[in-house]
Amino acid sequence: MPVKRIAGKTADTRFIWHAYKQDPDTLSAQLTTVLKASTMLPEEGKYERIPFFSQRVTGNPHFFDQNRFEGRLFVHCLFTSQLLKGLIEEMPKTTEELNELYANAGLMRDDLWSFVTCRAFLAETENGLHPVWREAAAAGTVMNVPVKELLQLTNIWPRVGKKVWIIENSGVASAVLDEVPDAPVICTHGQFRTAAWIMLQRLAENGCTFYYSGDLDPEGVAMAERLSNRFPGQTVFWRMDPDAYLRVLSEEDISARLSKLDAVQSPKLLLVANEMRLKKKAGYQEGLADLLVEDLKKRWAGGKEI
């Protein structure tokens, strides 16, 4: 936990200063435990349920529960660490954001509710080719796969080729799936969940290229930037340019959310980010559905990658 941030008395550190005024010795012990925990996180690519992690580190499975001060302190420690790495922009405010914070550290709150939707992929376990994934790919079945199942897999790859098409919006993804049978498509249903990151990591290890399409608003652009940062050289921004943005421009004012674009560094995303700063309006993926279908049909004909 960077000392400078606490010393700066930022808004997110007020609860720490309050604890210091109440009982500095107790806070010192709590900080020591939290810092110890930050050095004992799961190895990269591995995941551990938070109660089991807490038991391993402290001997108490509830030590880092959200209703405890130590839990809040631990979240702040993860936040400051990930802020420095560019993995996160602000303290989590929603359950999904908190889940992502934990997932970035290899920790899980819920391995059933976090799932990713996909079609036309194959997977292996230590026992070989997974029969459910094999049959689903052969039948063109769309699957909702939770973290619990993904963690049993040792390998995931597209049924054909190395291109993976990632769509943020579930309605748009469903329309694309209807029009382009057998194409390897992933739907994230908004912000990336733990399940999506696990699947994408397995695919990245197989040298896949990710074509990502999201809403043309600050949140969607930030998601694209996050994906590119995590998988540099393997991410292509799909219809996330100024022309696409102007095509789907809405009347929704995003002036209060434009600060989320400050972290964008990718030259291609900066083009659309700068246009957003000028227009101060959101653009939505639904207006691009026909173009996404057209793009995919050009690269995916008769079940073969072009």
Side-chain angles (χ1 to χ4, degrees):
M1 186 178 300
V3 175
K4 288 185 179 179
R5 191 169 188 87
I6 298 177
K9 296 188 177 181
T10 55
D12 54 274
T13 63
R14 288 174 185 165
F15 78 104
I16 300 175
W17 281 102
H18 178 74
Y20 174 77
K21 292 176 182 178
Q22 295 292 317
D23 189 340
D25 292 335
T26 297
L27 176 63
S28 177
Q30 292 166 328
L31 284 170
T32 298
T33 302
V34 166
L35 289 172
K36 173 187 174 184
S38 71
T39 68
M40 298 177 66
L41 295 171
E43 296 177 10
E44 186 174 355
K46 303 290 185 180
Y47 290 85
E48 187 174 7
R49 294 180 181 88
I50 293 175
F52 291 89
F53 170 76
S54 183
Q55 173 72 32
R56 175 166 65 84
V57 174
T58 72
N60 179 354
H62 301 292
F63 192 84
F64 295 124
D65 284 359
Q66 281 297 291
N67 61 350
R68 292 175 57 110
F69 177 82
E70 292 86 354
R72 291 183 64 196
L73 203 58
F74 184 53
V75 165
H76 192 274
C77 180
L78 296 178
F79 160 67
T80 52
S81 174
Q82 293 176 27
L83 184 68
L84 291 173
K85 296 176 182 177
L87 297 175
I88 198 168
E89 299 169 18
E90 56 187 7
M91 279 290 289
K93 295 184 178 66
T94 67
T95 298
E96 284 190 356
E97 290 173 350
L98 184 60
N99 287 341
E100 182 182 356
L101 179 82
Y102 282 127
N104 288 339
L107 299 173
M108 296 183 301
R109 298 180 73 201
D110 189 334
D111 58 1
L112 287 176
W113 177 242
S114 177
F115 64 88
V116 63
T117 299
C118 61
R119 186 193 64 188
F121 293 90
L122 296 170
E124 287 179 330
T125 67
E126 293 180 352
N127 298 320
L129 188 62
H130 197 296
V132 173
W133 287 68
R134 180 189 64 215
E135 296 303 319
T141 299
V142 177
M143 299 194 299
N144 288 334
V145 189
V147 169
K148 189 175 183 65
E149 293 298 324
L150 288 166
L151 290 178
Q152 299 178 35
L153 305 176
T154 58
N155 198 6
I156 306 175
W157 66 97
R159 184 170 182 245
V160 176
K162 292 286 187 179
K163 294 183 176 68
V164 175
W165 307 85
I166 305 171
I167 300 174
E168 175 191 348
N169 182 284
S170 58
V172 176
S174 186
V176 171
L177 288 166
D178 287 342
E179 294 295 327
V180 194
D182 298 326
V185 173
I186 289 175
C187 179
T188 65
H189 304 282
Q191 292 292 328
F192 293 109
R193 302 180 184 179
T194 307
W197 287 128
I198 294 173
M199 183 167 184
L200 293 174
Q201 180 62 44
R202 295 286 184 268
L203 291 167
E205 290 166 0
N206 273 314
C208 291
T209 299
F210 302 131
Y211 290 77
Y212 178 76
S213 175
D215 282 330
L216 289 162
D217 60 6
E219 293 78 9
V221 171
M223 284 182 66
E225 176 85 359
R226 197 173 303 126
L227 182 69
S228 180
N229 287 343
R230 185 166 293 209
F231 303 112
Q234 291 178 268
T235 301
V236 177
F237 306 123
W238 180 21
R239 295 288 179 177
M240 298 197 73
D241 53 64
D243 288 342
Y245 171 62
L246 294 175
R247 178 187 175 101
V248 297
L249 204 60
S250 73
E251 291 303 314
E252 182 181 345
D253 190 285
I254 56 173
S255 299
R257 295 148 53 194
L258 288 173
S259 61
K260 295 182 179 181
L261 297 173
D262 293 345
V264 175
Q265 296 183 353
S266 168
K268 290 185 177 180
L269 288 179
L270 278 173
L271 294 176
V272 70
N274 290 336
E275 194 68 38
M276 281 183 195
R277 290 188 177 98
L278 290 174
K279 301 295 185 184
K280 297 180 174 58
K281 302 292 183 182
Y284 289 105
Q285 200 177 29
E286 285 84 351
L288 296 172
D290 57 338
L291 292 180
L292 300 181
V293 168
E294 183 181 330
D295 291 342
L296 204 43
K297 282 184 175 180
K298 288 178 181 177
R299 302 205 180 200
W300 196 265
K304 294 182 180 180
E305 186 180 271
I306 300 174

